Amino acid sequence: MGKTVTFDEHVHNAICSLTKSNSFKTGLLIGQSTLQKDIVVHICTTPSQDEVAVKESDKEKDSKKGKQVKKKPEIQDELNENWICQHAKQVTRMLPGGLDILGIFVIAGQDELNKLQHNLRQILFAIFKVLSKDQKLSLCHENTEKILLQIATFAQKFVCRTFDVSDYKSSAKPAEWKQFSGVFQWHKLECKFNLDFRIPVDKNKITHSLLKQIEIGLLPFFNTTSRAAALVNGKFRKEEELLDPSMEGKKGKHSNKSSQQYFALDLFLPLHLNDSDDKDPKILECSAVMTVKGTIQCRAYIHNKGTVKEAIQVLKHDIIRSMTSRCEIQCEDLLLIDEEQQDPHVVHELPRRVFASLPQGNLSVCDYLFHGDSASDSLEAFQELLGLNLSEEDVEMNFEKTPDTLQLFQPETIQSGYSETTEKTKTRNILYPIVGAAVAVLAFGVTYFLSQEI
């Protein structure tokens, strides 16, 4: 028997709304994968390339009259593999620990679906190939069975299949698409995670992009985080225990009320940054030093039959995903302000994290805002990428705060520790402080020193 894919009333209503238009749609299935089944909690359609292009050029066209009517694109043209993959990656950044992309859906006429079988399969594999290049972004990379849901508009026929995306030669397996009566119950996990470490950048890596240097530098920290010990509500728990002991022996019946258990986790990193057997110090010729310091707000969700081990895993995943997303967004933003990037006196702040609830009310998604941005700046991202129609009051803004100017890293203080090295190597230090999201008054960021020979 194939996999069971369950979904709630919110997902059912969203699909019904899309099928009423009788128009071609593709999108992503978001949820959590368990050993027994996959749970879909939200669907989001892929933004139209034409709509995005129009929005980006609206300001330029406002002063012009007589807009041209564009010819309706062919179905094959709307199945832009790169565009859909990019949408998937951006959506993944907005998911807390425990939620991930489980597959894709497509809504079309039966004849159109028959013609697109090869294209849809290829897109499904392409999405998870892109995400697998950076496995730290994906919680479900260990479960390689991904969903392809096809919905025929007129007949209202649902065909659900799964493919093993780790094997390109794999064939489709039937899966049961089953609505759940009631409300899925989730355990909410939260943690404030303190960061305070420095990362040396190898001289041979100095020609790499800033993002590549950060990614390489953070890998030891990510590996260390994966081995961190954890306390649940201040207590050490056995990994095989259910996170909520009251669920022991129950047969998974969910109530119609969206009740939710909350758990606070504390993570403790091991003393060594890596698990290498070689404990002797190594001499590394460096041309840069990155400093990460501060506190980030972490949030994750696990199904009500989740174990302590699963809960700790999804929270660690949230830490890694959040750190990676902030750095990627920051570096993408720097590409747009290249001239300012060359100024050593400019301070670039990493984005802080904000949250908003899904329609069910017991699950959240997130976005990242730069200093000076308001809740309204997140509304477009929530709407375009996730299909959420929210108001400013729906965005939780108070979990992280940007530090004051006096709390930022002081260039004079940091540079003084490198003055002797500078004289010996006859180099000059250019400072790029990249300071970002924080809880309360603690700064999270990267202080970047680039040494160049004169």
Side-chain angles (χ1 to χ4, degrees):
M1 185 176 178
K3 175 183 291 189
T4 298
V5 182
T6 62
F7 58 97
D8 59 13
E9 185 179 2
H10 158 67
V11 173
H12 172 74
N13 293 338
I15 291 177
C16 289
S17 177
L18 291 175
T19 55
K20 286 180 181 179
S21 65
N22 290 328
S23 58
F24 179 79
K25 297 286 184 182
T26 62
L28 305 173
L29 302 171
I30 297 172
Q32 188 169 104
S33 183
T34 73
L35 294 177
Q36 296 80 19
K37 59 188 176 182
D38 282 357
I39 305 172
V40 178
V41 299
H42 187 66
I43 65 170
C44 54
T45 57
T46 305
S48 169
Q49 288 181 274
D50 290 337
E51 291 178 1
V52 173
V54 167
K55 288 183 179 180
E56 291 178 348
S57 60
D58 271 346
K59 293 182 180 179
E60 298 179 1
K61 292 185 177 181
D62 281 344
S63 60
K64 298 181 180 180
K65 296 181 179 180
K67 296 182 180 179
Q68 296 180 351
V69 179
K70 296 183 178 181
K71 183 181 178 180
K72 184 178 179 181
E74 297 292 334
I75 295 277
Q76 289 81 356
D77 296 333
E78 294 191 30
L79 278 176
N80 187 312
E81 182 178 303
N82 293 333
W83 182 259
I84 297 175
C85 289
Q86 182 63 22
H87 178 224
K89 185 168 185 178
Q90 291 185 8
V91 166
T92 302
R93 292 176 180 175
M94 305 179 76
L95 302 180
L99 298 186
D100 217 312
I101 296 173
L102 303 181
I104 63 174
F105 71 89
V106 58
I107 300 174
Q110 188 61 60
D111 292 340
E112 295 169 335
L113 290 175
N114 293 338
K115 296 177 183 178
L116 296 175
Q117 291 304 303
H118 175 73
N119 304 72
L120 296 174
R121 183 183 186 279
Q122 183 172 319
I123 289 174
L124 182 69
F125 277 76
I127 288 175
F128 292 98
K129 182 179 180 181
V130 169
L131 297 181
S132 68
K133 290 180 180 179
D134 198 355
Q135 288 191 350
K136 57 183 174 290
L137 288 179
S138 176
L139 170 66
C140 301
H141 63 268
E142 294 180 357
N143 176 18
T144 57
E145 291 286 332
K146 303 302 178 182
I147 305 167
L148 173 57
L149 175 65
Q150 302 177 65
I151 307 169
T153 51
F154 294 104
Q156 291 291 302
K157 181 181 179 182
F158 291 74
V159 177
C160 188
R161 299 189 178 99
T162 61
F163 292 85
D164 183 356
V165 294
S166 66
D167 179 11
Y168 194 76
K169 296 181 180 179
S170 67
S171 57
K173 297 179 182 178
E176 182 183 9
W177 178 253
K178 181 179 180 181
Q179 182 174 356
F180 177 79
S181 58
V183 178
F184 291 120
Q185 294 186 13
W186 300 90
H187 297 322
K188 182 178 181 180
L189 318 168
E190 286 194 340
C191 172
K192 292 182 179 180
F193 196 61
N194 297 320
L195 309 168
D196 189 0
F197 60 92
R198 286 186 176 183
I199 303 168
V201 179
D202 193 320
K203 184 178 180 180
N204 297 326
K205 305 292 192 302
I206 200 64
T207 56
H208 292 178
S209 66
L210 176 59
L211 177 59
K212 189 65 176 178
Q213 292 180 33
I214 293 175
E215 288 177 340
I216 294 174
L218 288 179
L219 282 178
F221 168 72
F222 291 155
N223 292 332
T224 303
T225 301
S226 67
R227 297 185 291 112
L231 297 180
V232 180
N233 288 341
K235 298 180 180 180
F236 179 78
R237 299 271 304 275
K238 294 181 179 179
E239 290 187 341
E240 64 274 11
E241 294 179 349
L242 289 181
L243 185 62
D244 181 6
S246 66
M247 295 301 298
E248 192 74 44
K250 294 185 178 180
K251 294 187 177 181
K253 291 185 178 181
H254 302 266
S255 69
N256 290 322
K257 296 183 179 181
S258 181
S259 59
Q260 186 173 63
Q261 293 284 349
Y262 169 81
F263 296 87
L265 274 69
D266 298 297
L267 298 183
F268 300 89
L269 299 178
L271 294 178
H272 298 285
L273 287 182
N274 57 66
D275 53 0
S276 173
D277 294 333
D278 185 7
K279 302 302 180 183
D280 295 331
K282 296 181 179 179
I283 298 176
L284 182 65
E285 189 173 0
C286 301
S287 294
V289 173
M290 294 185 285
T291 300
V292 181
K293 188 174 183 179
T295 304
I296 58 175
Q297 180 71 34
C298 311
R299 181 180 292 185
Y301 297 91
I302 191 71
H303 57 93
N304 68 338
K305 285 295 190 72
T307 64
V308 172
K309 181 179 180 179
E310 290 174 321
I312 296 173
Q313 179 186 3
V314 296
L315 190 70
K316 289 178 178 179
H317 231 289
D318 185 67
I319 294 172
I320 295 172
R321 175 185 285 169
S322 176
M323 289 272 291
T324 302
S325 299
R326 295 175 204 258
C327 292
E328 288 182 343
I329 293 171
Q330 171 64 25
C331 290
E332 290 169 3
D333 187 69
L334 290 181
L335 296 176
L336 304 177
I337 52 174
D338 185 66
E339 292 182 1
E340 292 186 16
Q341 184 182 2
Q342 304 306 320
D343 185 351
H345 301 293
V346 174
V347 176
H348 301 288
E349 298 172 349
L350 289 180
R352 59 195 176 102
R353 197 176 195 188
V354 299
F355 295 93
S357 296
L358 290 176
Q360 298 94 321
N362 55 3
L363 293 170
S364 298
V365 288
C366 67
D367 191 24
Y368 297 91
L369 297 178
F370 286 100
H371 178 66
D373 291 343
S374 63
S376 61
D377 295 298
S378 280
L379 298 183
E380 185 176 353
F382 284 127
Q383 201 285 323
E384 284 191 357
L385 298 178
L386 293 172
L388 299 176
N389 295 316
L390 305 172
S391 63
E392 294 185 23
E393 293 74 19
D394 297 324
V395 182
E396 303 174 56
M397 298 283 291
N398 298 323
F399 285 95
E400 296 183 343
K401 295 181 181 179
T402 303
D404 297 329
T405 303
L406 295 178
Q407 297 164 341
L408 303 182
F409 299 109
Q410 299 297 324
E412 298 80 9
T413 304
I414 300 177
Q415 280 185 310
S416 63
Y418 295 86
S419 59
E420 183 178 352
T421 305
T422 303
E423 292 179 3
K424 288 183 179 181
T425 59
K426 295 183 179 180
T427 63
R428 59 188 177 90
N429 289 333
I430 302 177
L431 175 67
Y432 292 91
I434 307 176
V435 185
V439 176
V441 297
L442 294 178
F444 164 68
V446 179
T447 303
Y448 181 66
F449 294 85
L450 173 62
S451 300
Q452 298 177 334
E453 293 185 1
I454 299 176

